[in-house]
Amino acid sequence: MRYITMALAKGRLAYKTLEILEQIGISCEEIKDKASRKLIFINEDLRLKFFLAKASDVPTYVEYGAADIGVVGKDTILEEGRKMYEVLDLGLGKCRMCVAGPPSAKELLNHGELIRVATKYPNIAKDYFYNKKHQTVEIIKLNGSIELAPIVGLAEVIVDIVETGSTLRENGLVVLEEICNLSARMVVNEVSMKMEHERITKIINDLKKVL
Ligand code: PRP
């Protein structure tokens, strides 16, 4: 029996995913050792391999088949736009992708003005403004602390993840428009889904029962 390989987006999501997998009898003790620098972990009995990767790389591993299965946020799936099947909503890490800014920026959105949009998610922002709102904007890619952009005058609005809303609140910003809901999803390589249909479907169905 060949190994089925699972790529998990490293961080809190990976550990929560492992807890859920344990509920369906899939465990990997070694991976839980946070001090370890090991990159790949094997459950010989189940013929499963696990690895932790940067979230934005998980769809790449899955599209190319280096991982048969991946667990990653919907934000990353939308941004990366890779070819693969999204098979399950794990309901973890629920949050929203929003357009946010100072309350005064609402007018700029309503009137379709040429504004600057700062974001870690240029593809999601482009799709939303160009294809859904038909508003021409300038997109400025940032890598973190996106909320700074409207405060220091880099952009009028941001496209970013809002979970509790406290980052926005503490910086005098508000949600101006909602783009979509987000949560962690299980994704599967298209060829693996055919070649290992039975084993992968069993994992999906077992997970559905405990979610
Ligand atoms: C994310 C996101 C927001 C914040 C939202 O940032 O980009 O800044 O969390 O959470 P809240 O609504 O609960 O305040 P993250 O902490 O991942 O760091 P980043 O600034 O590097 O993007």
Side-chain angles (χ1 to χ4, degrees):
M1 191 162 53
R2 83 159 179 96
Y3 287 103
I4 285 182
T5 302
M6 230 184 257
L8 307 176
K10 65 181 165 194
R12 209 153 40 107
L13 176 60
Y15 296 101
K16 284 195 176 169
T17 304
L18 289 166
E19 281 174 24
I20 296 179
L21 287 171
E22 272 186 13
Q23 291 178 40
I24 63 162
I26 295 177
S27 60
C28 187
E29 284 309 309
E30 256 188 316
I31 204 171
K32 291 195 228 158
D33 176 8
K34 291 184 186 169
S36 167
R37 302 294 296 163
K38 230 176 127 169
L39 293 172
I40 190 136
F41 306 90
I42 300 177
N43 181 323
E44 201 52 64
D45 298 337
L46 299 173
R47 300 291 283 172
L48 287 173
K49 280 186 192 173
F50 302 85
F51 67 84
L52 301 175
K54 197 175 156 73
S56 53
D57 292 337
V58 168
T60 311
Y61 285 109
V62 174
E63 183 186 81
Y64 284 91
D68 302 289
I69 297 175
V71 175
V72 66
K74 179 72 177 176
D75 52 328
T76 307
I77 296 173
L78 291 171
E79 183 60 25
E80 295 300 314
R82 294 284 178 179
K83 249 174 82 61
M84 56 194 181
Y85 297 130
E86 185 184 315
V87 295
L88 195 60
D89 184 347
L90 295 170
L92 301 170
K94 282 190 182 155
C95 51
R96 298 173 295 161
M97 186 64 74
C98 296
V99 181
S104 59
K106 186 84 192 159
E107 283 298 293
L108 304 172
L109 293 172
N110 290 346
H111 297 135
E113 301 214 17
L114 177 57
I115 51 171
R116 285 170 301 180
V117 180
T119 186
K120 215 162 37 172
Y121 301 93
N123 292 327
I124 295 176
K126 237 178 262 168
D127 180 61
Y128 180 70
F129 279 100
Y130 291 1
N131 300 333
K132 301 218 171 70
K133 280 182 63 95
H134 306 291
Q135 178 173 0
T136 307
V137 295
E138 183 182 345
I139 296 185
I140 302 174
K141 165 89 198 283
L142 288 178
N143 298 296
S145 302
I146 314 300
E147 291 83 355
L148 264 175
I151 300 171
V152 299
L154 176 65
E156 282 74 29
V157 299
I158 61 173
V159 164
D160 201 16
I161 290 172
V162 179
E163 192 178 353
T164 61
S166 55
T167 311
L168 291 181
R169 240 180 344 263
E170 287 179 31
N171 292 290
L173 306 172
V174 293
V175 170
L176 299 166
E177 289 173 1
E178 280 190 24
I179 299 178
C180 62
N181 289 317
L182 304 169
S183 56
R185 308 292 161 95
M186 180 167 274
V187 290
V188 177
N189 171 270
E190 292 183 347
V191 175
S192 307
M193 196 64 192
K194 292 184 185 73
M195 303 299 286
E196 292 291 340
H197 189 262
E198 205 172 310
R199 289 169 76 199
I200 293 176
T201 315
K202 180 166 172 18
I203 294 173
I204 297 168
N205 288 337
D206 287 352
L207 284 171
K208 279 183 185 162
K209 285 180 206 146
V210 299
L211 288 172

